[in-house]
Amino acid sequence: MKKLVVLAVFALSFTNSTLLPAQNFNVSPVEYILDSSSLENAVIYEVNIRQYSPEGSFNAFTKDIPKLKNLGVKVIWMMPIFPISQTKRKATGGDNSKFASEMPAAEQHKYLGSYYAVSDFKKVNPEFGSLEEFRNLVKTAHENGMYVILDWVPNHTGWDHVWIKQHPDYYTQNEKGEIIDPINPETGKTWGWTDVADLNYDNQNLRKEMTDDMKYWLQKEGVDGFRCDVAGNVPLDFWQQAIPELRKEKNIFMLAEAWEPELLKDNLFDMAYAWDGHHISNKIAQGKENVATWDKYMIEKNNKYEANDILMNFVDNHDENSWNGTIQSRLGAAEEALTALTYVMPGMPLVYSGNEYGLKHSLKFFEKDLIPKTKGKDWALRSKLGELKNSNIALHGGKNPASYNRISTKDDTKILAFEREKDGKKVIYIANLSNETIETKIQLQGDFTDYMSGNKIQFRSDAPIGLKAWQYLILTN
């Protein structure tokens, strides 16, 4: 939320998975032990419960969890499931943002507010269903071999949160003693997130209570970790206090909405956002950068992060989709090549709700909206890529990743070619990341299978190869 810095497609058919029952009340959380080795080949799925189905409910999503196995999903990241504050509830965004209370009375009911304006960290949003229904969702995910992490909002709360009245000292206050909304540390001015109140981590009691609230979900509800909103704007020493305490409860998976390498050190967060890679990909698609910039990024990434640090690779997420445009508007004809890149490069690929169905509009953030639900080329693409990610150790991208080696080409500013390798297994990615057809030579020798088409391809380093604009190949040995 705070970190807003700002395909030839293959027709495949798949059988539907058998669906589990949507309702199973009075369930207890299934004890599920997180094994870090299973994260080596995982795909992470961000679910927007409100927009995922017409019902916008836990139960509607639970029915579809078995289908996610076809996408290679092993981690489900749930956008905030907590009750949303009524006070200062947002109705629109941007420079002309308004509160729901400022809209015509007859329309106020449709403005549901931001998921990130939390009024209680230990309850579920009744808009989505009951706590028992959430427990059934977690149980179903575990039965299907998936971990569930909650989107946690440690930087601020909504204006209805009980702490506002009971513990005003938990919040940042101005010289008049008034609680304020969050401040951008780079500018010293408000972010414009006027629907939330900024928390003050100088208060040690706040730190303890925040940690205890997180422990509740691990101890009582069986979740497997957290995606922590704007983690880089919460003091590092809070994470140094809190995360070891959380890890005493069980094995957990921690994702930081941040890029800072220090958040990954000393067994703090397991994964951070590949923000730089995402923005460079957008610029390459738009002709503002080229492959040379990508190569520089990969070198800098290796110097900046430790070998066992995981980065989340993405072409879309809830912020990008709602505020910065759709995949299609940002990537255009480069969409498939760059989507494939997120699966085969080091790290873990992200699927945002609707990507698997070809989401082509920006979802409303404060109101009810819907994703498409018809399987087509996007489902086929992500299923195929997810299967490769799950099954080929050359794409391991966790704590024990496969190697990444750049392959030289005649046109290194337009042709990206690299090899991933582990224990003799290899996956090679070759792509023309430009809008023109190119004949090039690639320093590659041998016989390979083009994974996406199944065709056999022979490479000779002295033989030219032609690649159409944005064409890519994924080769296996």
Side-chain angles (χ1 to χ4, degrees):
M1 185 172 158
K2 186 175 285 187
K3 190 67 176 179
L4 295 177
V5 180
V6 203
L7 289 157
V9 176
F10 303 88
L12 303 170
S13 62
F14 297 88
T15 57
N16 291 329
S17 299
T18 302
L19 301 184
L20 297 181
Q23 309 255 349
N24 182 11
F25 299 113
N26 299 315
V27 294
S28 298
V30 174
E31 183 61 26
Y32 195 62
I33 306 301
L34 188 146
D35 177 5
S36 61
S37 66
S38 67
L39 300 173
E40 293 290 344
N41 59 2
V43 174
I44 183 170
Y45 185 91
E46 179 189 7
V47 58
N48 185 333
I49 292 290
R50 179 189 289 166
Q51 316 299 29
Y52 182 83
S53 64
E55 303 90 337
S57 67
F58 294 136
N59 281 341
F61 176 67
T62 299
K63 288 192 302 182
D64 281 0
I65 285 176
K67 294 181 183 179
L68 298 182
K69 288 195 290 188
N70 288 336
L71 300 175
V73 173
K74 294 191 177 183
V75 181
I76 297 173
W77 150 25
M78 301 189 70
M79 287 179 66
I81 62 168
F82 315 105
I84 296 171
S85 286
Q86 293 287 342
T87 303
K88 298 188 179 182
R89 178 170 282 198
K90 274 280 185 75
T92 62
D95 295 336
N96 298 314
S97 67
K98 294 183 178 180
F99 298 123
S101 58
E102 298 176 274
M103 307 303 285
E107 297 182 10
Q108 291 180 12
H109 69 280
K110 74 178 185 180
Y111 297 109
L112 303 173
S114 168
Y115 318 90
Y116 295 86
V118 176
S119 66
D120 193 323
F121 285 118
K122 293 172 72 174
K123 293 181 180 179
V124 297
N125 187 346
E127 173 192 341
F128 300 155
S130 69
L131 182 58
E132 289 296 317
E133 290 165 338
F134 170 75
R135 288 172 175 169
N136 188 48
L137 185 157
V138 174
K139 178 176 180 288
T140 302
H142 288 171
E143 289 171 344
N144 282 275
M146 300 175 198
Y147 307 120
V148 177
I149 64 173
L150 296 186
D151 203 328
W152 197 259
V153 192
N155 184 71
H156 46 263
T157 74
W159 292 93
D160 287 352
H161 199 286
V162 65
W163 294 344
I164 292 279
K165 291 183 178 179
Q166 294 182 359
H167 301 289
D169 55 316
Y170 284 7
Y171 293 86
T172 305
Q173 301 178 18
N174 61 21
E175 61 279 1
K176 297 178 183 179
E178 300 166 328
I179 296 172
I180 62 173
D181 53 88
I183 299 298
N184 182 339
E186 296 178 3
T187 66
K189 298 180 181 179
T190 177
W191 288 95
W193 302 344
T194 49
D195 58 338
V196 294
D198 192 59
L199 289 167
N200 177 13
Y201 277 85
D202 291 340
N203 189 305
Q204 295 301 311
N205 291 329
L206 163 65
R207 292 178 177 228
K208 182 180 185 307
E209 193 153 0
M210 183 66 75
T211 305
D212 287 346
D213 281 4
M214 297 176 82
K215 283 182 181 179
Y216 163 80
W217 293 95
L218 302 178
Q219 296 169 338
K220 303 296 185 182
E221 306 305 338
V223 304
D224 305 294
F226 302 94
R227 176 267 187 190
C228 294
D229 189 57
V230 294
N233 286 345
V234 173
L236 176 63
D237 64 353
F238 168 71
W239 298 122
Q240 292 169 335
Q241 291 174 343
I243 294 179
E245 288 296 309
L246 300 177
R247 293 195 186 279
K248 289 178 183 177
E249 301 298 325
K250 60 188 292 188
N251 291 338
I252 57 175
F253 181 68
M254 297 293 291
L255 165 60
E257 189 204 15
W259 63 270
E260 292 87 344
E262 57 266 26
L263 288 168
L264 297 163
K265 292 184 182 299
D266 302 321
N267 201 31
L268 294 181
F269 286 92
D270 299 286
M271 185 161 76
Y273 275 47
W275 278 115
D276 288 343
H278 171 70
H279 293 305
I280 290 169
S281 294
N282 283 343
K283 290 179 180 179
I284 289 174
Q286 295 159 14
K288 299 174 183 177
E289 298 286 358
N290 59 34
V291 172
T293 308
W294 180 266
D295 288 335
K296 182 180 178 182
Y297 159 68
M298 292 300 294
I299 293 170
E300 291 176 347
K301 181 174 76 72
N302 289 339
N303 292 333
K304 188 182 298 182
Y305 297 95
E306 297 177 349
N308 63 352
D309 291 343
I310 310 172
L311 293 186
M312 184 177 72
N313 305 315
F314 56 97
V315 291
D316 203 16
N317 61 41
H318 67 273
D319 278 323
E320 294 299 286
N321 171 266
S322 290
W323 308 119
N324 295 329
T326 65
I327 297 176
Q328 296 78 20
S329 67
R330 287 181 281 106
L331 302 184
E335 177 185 347
E336 186 174 332
L338 293 175
T339 297
L341 178 58
T342 65
Y343 283 77
V344 297
M345 66 181 291
M348 186 184 297
L350 169 71
V351 180
Y352 175 49
S353 285
N355 291 159
E356 71 272 34
Y357 296 112
L359 176 64
K360 288 181 170 59
H361 70 279
S362 292
L363 292 170
K364 296 174 183 177
F365 203 80
F366 306 114
E367 301 172 50
K368 177 65 181 163
D369 203 348
L370 280 174
I371 66 170
K373 293 299 285 288
T374 302
K375 290 182 181 179
K377 64 179 184 179
D378 294 277
W379 182 277
L381 173 68
R382 290 179 181 273
S383 295
K384 186 78 171 171
L385 292 171
E387 180 184 7
L388 182 65
K389 178 69 177 177
N390 284 177
S391 63
N392 197 311
I393 64 173
L395 295 185
H396 278 190
K399 300 295 185 181
N400 186 23
S403 64
Y404 172 97
N405 298 298
R406 182 67 158 89
I407 298 172
S408 179
T409 74
K410 178 184 173 184
D411 300 272
D412 278 349
T413 62
K414 296 179 180 178
I415 305 297
L416 176 61
F418 61 81
E419 175 189 89
R420 304 289 310 285
E421 189 275 333
K422 188 174 184 179
D423 296 340
K425 295 289 289 183
K426 297 180 180 180
V427 171
I428 295 167
Y429 176 83
I430 300 170
N432 174 8
L433 299 185
S434 78
N435 60 4
E436 59 186 89
T437 298
I438 293 177
E439 184 178 279
T440 188
K441 292 183 179 180
I442 299 172
Q443 294 302 307
L444 184 62
Q445 193 86 8
D447 298 329
F448 302 92
T449 299
D450 174 20
Y451 174 75
M452 300 304 288
S453 68
N455 295 330
K456 302 297 183 182
I457 301 181
Q458 185 180 76
F459 274 84
R460 298 293 179 263
S461 57
D462 59 347
I465 178 174
L467 293 170
K468 296 179 181 178
W470 308 114
Q471 183 180 355
Y472 71 97
L473 301 170
I474 298 175
L475 308 178
T476 58
N477 64 344

